[in-house]
Amino acid sequence: MRLGTCLIGLTIAFVASLGPVSPGYGADAKQLAATLASGSAADRHAAADALADMGAAAQEAVPQLATALTASDADLRWRAARALGVIGDAKATEALRKATSDGEPLVRAQAIYALGRLMADDKESLTAVVAGLADKEVQVRRAAVRALSMIKADRKVTIPLVVKMLEDSDQNVAMRAVSAIAEAGAEAVPALNAALTHPQAKYWACIALSEMGDKAKDAVPGLIKVLSDEEPQNRLQASIALAEIGPAARPAVLELTKLLGDKFEAVRKSAVFALGRIGDKSAADAIAKADKPDDAFLHPMCVWALARLNPSDKQRQLAAIELMAAKLGDKDLATGQMAARAIAELDPTADVIRPVMEKVVAGADAETADRIFSALASIGARIVPLAINALKDSSALRRERAMKVLSKIGADAAPAVPELTTIAQGSDAKLKVEALFTIGAIGPKAAAAVPAVVSSLGDSDPQMQQTAAYAAGKIGPAAAAAVPVLKKLIASNDDLVKMTAVWALLQIGPRTDDLVKMALPLLSAGLSSQREMVRVDAAMSLGQLGKAAASALPALEKSLQDSSGNVRSAASAAIKSIKG
């Protein structure tokens, strides 16, 4: 997945941070190779980079670079691995293979990627690369996918390795492998087609194919066979994969209609979902017969599927939207997200969906309303135009609800920035705060709102100041114009304003030792904020400070009991980063 571009970009940034180097472009490969063993850390790094720049002309330095793969300096190890990949000498294969087990993720990623560049198709190297598919670090998994695509090994060799990975008894390992394989897109379909024939691997193969969507259309014949598998979980996952493939899965319609009579309820529901997404009208009668009006879940699904099969029938569409809208606030997050997606796929106009949503939200308590907003946000960019229309509404309540959805969407809500900026410059204090918070949730893509954010920092209301500071920090370096005002807010008598101002300055940069020292107690206090995103950002910021944030460990450990899974996850990652 474009790993080469990502890693090269990272390398350039790393090298640029080192400043001028002494053994650079004027030295030959022999001199540079000698520097790898005897120079200062900076000189060794520069030598490895220069050898990479020389490419194949640096072959005589391969032994020294291979030795550098075992150095105590992790920055030298990943640079050496990168250089060996660029040079392309097969003599480095064994050393690179050993480096795929390095303790540092970037070293593992570069070593695996280098094996890909060397097109190392021996079984030992392929085994090492495939093992990277299940690595706990995403950069390593992506490197493994890219390496496999470069090696182009015989499928008779790679397929058993991939299948073995999918057969792993550790669910976490299998899921990481699935995600990595899915990122490869259509080129991974042949291997997954083969995996569909293996008893233990077919379940995971179906999940990987479902993540690919219509790119997995060539897997339809294999998935059709799995629809008659004796294991219900395999039938269910095959149905879902076919649903994600969509109209291109029409050859599966007949077998899917047979599953409408399956003895397992979950399989029946997944079959209805698949038939609705495929959109073949020939399934309409079978779906209508399978419908059970007294079934709280199957009935809405059948009504939705029939509406999908009859897009011009507005009455069916409205009935389906009303039934699905009632599921948006379900305590089961997956059910709410499914309902939101189902509504979006009916492509309703604003005049159709608005009264339905008004009715659903009006009768919801705060907790249920939040689940509804989260479910709608799970649709992502597809719901943004409807939310933007709501931002223009005369009703303050509708605008507030729209912003709650947009803030949960994040960066994909960037098209709403002009309207949000207008609200942030308005006179309604409550809406201004919500708009600033939403601008912050969008992050760097909301840079156009910086003038409005700076203006709000000068407001006399502490809540306005705090939210504006939060927005500035989330926008990051592009909010440099806010720095002078943020520095003034450090002297605020309001602890939350002070904390958010310091946090924002850390995000905008530059980061100084004095600023870090001032930030620690304030960020620790931020872990108790009422806003979930503030708690998450406080934890993440402490993690970014690394060992310097050791004093915050007690507060972070307390956050491991937070009611929010996002906060717990951020706190856990921060603790790991601080402890090293």
Side-chain angles (χ1 to χ4, degrees):
M1 183 184 165
R2 297 175 293 281
L3 179 71
T5 302
C6 294
L7 290 180
I8 290 170
L10 177 59
T11 299
I12 290 171
F14 225 124
V15 173
S17 71
L18 296 175
V21 293
S22 53
Y25 296 97
D28 61 24
K30 187 175 182 179
Q31 291 174 313
L32 293 169
T35 302
L36 288 174
S38 60
S40 66
D43 285 348
R44 290 197 299 272
H45 297 170
D49 291 335
L51 288 166
D53 290 338
M54 292 175 67
Q59 277 188 321
E60 66 179 298
V62 167
Q64 290 82 2
L65 285 168
T67 299
L69 289 175
T70 63
S72 59
D73 182 350
D75 288 333
L76 177 59
R77 296 200 304 276
W78 75 255
R79 283 177 157 86
R82 170 181 174 267
L84 289 168
V86 175
I87 293 168
D89 191 326
K91 291 195 292 291
T93 300
E94 184 177 354
L96 286 167
R97 196 161 56 230
K98 291 179 180 178
T100 62
S101 300
D102 195 277
E104 289 295 324
L106 187 53
V107 178
R108 297 198 300 276
Q110 288 283 14
I112 288 172
Y113 187 65
L115 287 172
R117 297 192 71 157
L118 267 61
M119 293 186 285
D121 59 359
D122 60 284
K123 188 173 181 180
E124 291 80 6
S125 295
L126 284 171
T127 300
V129 172
V130 171
L133 293 173
D135 196 277
K136 62 182 179 180
E137 299 294 339
V138 66
Q139 62 184 324
V140 181
R141 300 199 295 272
R142 289 175 177 167
V145 170
R146 187 70 185 106
L148 284 174
S149 70
M150 289 189 287
I151 293 171
K152 293 181 172 57
D154 189 329
R155 288 184 187 139
K156 291 180 182 178
V157 177
T158 56
I159 287 173
L161 293 173
V162 172
V163 168
K164 185 178 185 300
M165 184 65 65
L166 293 177
E167 289 177 336
D168 198 295
S169 58
D170 186 328
Q171 181 173 339
N172 292 326
V173 169
M175 280 305 298
R176 289 197 294 266
V178 162
S179 296
I181 293 166
E183 284 191 15
E187 66 185 41
V189 172
L192 291 172
N193 255 330
L196 289 174
T197 66
H198 290 256
Q200 272 67 51
K202 64 179 67 177
Y203 173 84
W204 299 108
C206 287
I207 293 178
L209 290 165
S210 69
E211 290 188 17
M212 293 180 190
D214 59 5
K215 293 179 182 177
K217 61 184 179 181
D218 289 342
V220 170
L223 288 167
I224 290 174
K225 292 179 181 179
V226 182
L227 292 178
S228 58
D229 192 89
E230 62 182 13
E231 294 294 337
Q233 69 267 27
N234 292 337
R235 300 197 296 275
L236 183 149
Q237 291 300 338
S239 298
I240 293 174
L242 290 163
E244 297 300 338
I245 292 171
R250 277 195 172 87
V253 168
L254 179 60
E255 293 302 317
L256 284 167
T257 56
K258 293 179 182 179
L259 291 186
L260 295 177
D262 196 280
K263 63 180 180 179
F264 288 93
E265 181 182 23
V267 176
R268 296 196 298 272
K269 291 173 182 175
S270 65
V272 173
F273 174 59
L275 290 167
R277 290 220 72 230
I278 292 170
D280 192 315
K281 289 186 177 182
S282 66
D285 288 344
I287 294 173
K289 289 178 182 177
D291 188 9
K292 294 182 179 180
D294 59 341
D295 189 313
F297 191 95
L298 182 62
H299 177 59
M301 185 65 73
C302 288
V303 172
W304 168 81
L306 291 170
R308 284 270 299 169
L309 270 53
N310 298 277
S312 61
D313 190 331
K314 298 302 179 185
Q315 187 173 353
R316 283 184 186 275
Q317 185 186 61
L318 181 59
I321 290 173
E322 289 178 339
L323 287 168
M324 287 297 170
K327 298 288 184 183
L328 289 172
D330 197 282
K331 289 185 178 181
D332 176 44
L333 182 60
T335 297
Q337 291 179 343
M338 178 279 299
R341 180 178 172 183
I343 291 172
E345 292 194 351
L346 291 173
D347 199 22
T349 56
D351 62 313
V352 171
I353 195 172
R354 178 184 291 174
V356 177
M357 292 308 305
E358 290 284 348
K359 181 179 178 181
V360 171
V361 179
D365 56 38
E367 185 178 341
T368 303
D370 187 64
R371 287 199 297 268
I372 291 172
F373 298 140
S374 295
L376 291 172
S378 71
I379 301 172
R382 293 179 63 177
I383 202 171
V384 172
L386 286 174
I388 291 175
N389 285 335
L391 292 178
K392 300 174 183 177
D393 201 289
S394 59
S395 166
L397 183 58
R398 288 195 189 109
R399 280 181 281 169
E400 183 180 353
R401 288 171 177 168
M403 286 189 281
K404 288 185 181 297
V405 173
L406 290 168
S407 68
K408 291 178 181 293
I409 292 174
D412 284 343
V417 169
E419 290 300 327
L420 291 167
T421 301
T422 298
I423 295 173
Q425 294 170 329
S427 58
D428 188 315
K430 184 178 180 181
L431 289 179
K432 286 179 68 174
V433 167
E434 199 64 47
L436 288 167
F437 183 75
T438 307
I439 287 168
I442 294 171
K445 289 186 177 181
V450 168
V453 171
V454 174
S455 176
S456 297
L457 284 170
D459 197 286
S460 59
D461 178 18
Q463 186 181 20
M464 192 75 69
Q465 293 172 338
Q466 181 195 352
T467 313
Y470 176 77
K474 291 295 286 181
I475 291 172
V483 168
V485 189
L486 288 168
K487 287 182 176 179
K488 291 180 181 178
L489 291 179
I490 292 177
S492 172
N493 293 324
D494 187 295
D495 288 340
L496 284 177
V497 171
K498 185 185 297 185
M499 181 274 290
T500 315
V502 170
W503 170 83
L505 288 169
L506 285 173
Q507 307 309 308
I508 296 170
R511 184 177 296 175
T512 65
D513 290 342
D514 287 342
L515 189 59
V516 170
K517 185 176 180 180
M518 184 184 298
L520 287 175
L522 298 172
L523 290 173
S524 297
L527 295 171
S528 301
S529 171
Q530 293 183 345
R531 290 268 197 180
E532 178 192 16
M533 289 183 70
V534 173
R535 301 200 302 278
V536 169
D537 284 319
M540 290 177 64
S541 298
L542 288 166
Q544 289 167 3
L545 295 178
K547 296 184 186 296
S551 62
L553 284 172
L556 284 166
E557 286 167 355
K558 184 178 179 181
S559 291
L560 294 176
Q561 307 303 318
D562 196 281
S563 59
S564 165
N566 292 330
V567 176
R568 294 195 299 272
S569 177
S572 177
I575 291 171
K576 181 179 178 182
S577 175
I578 293 168
K579 289 184 175 181

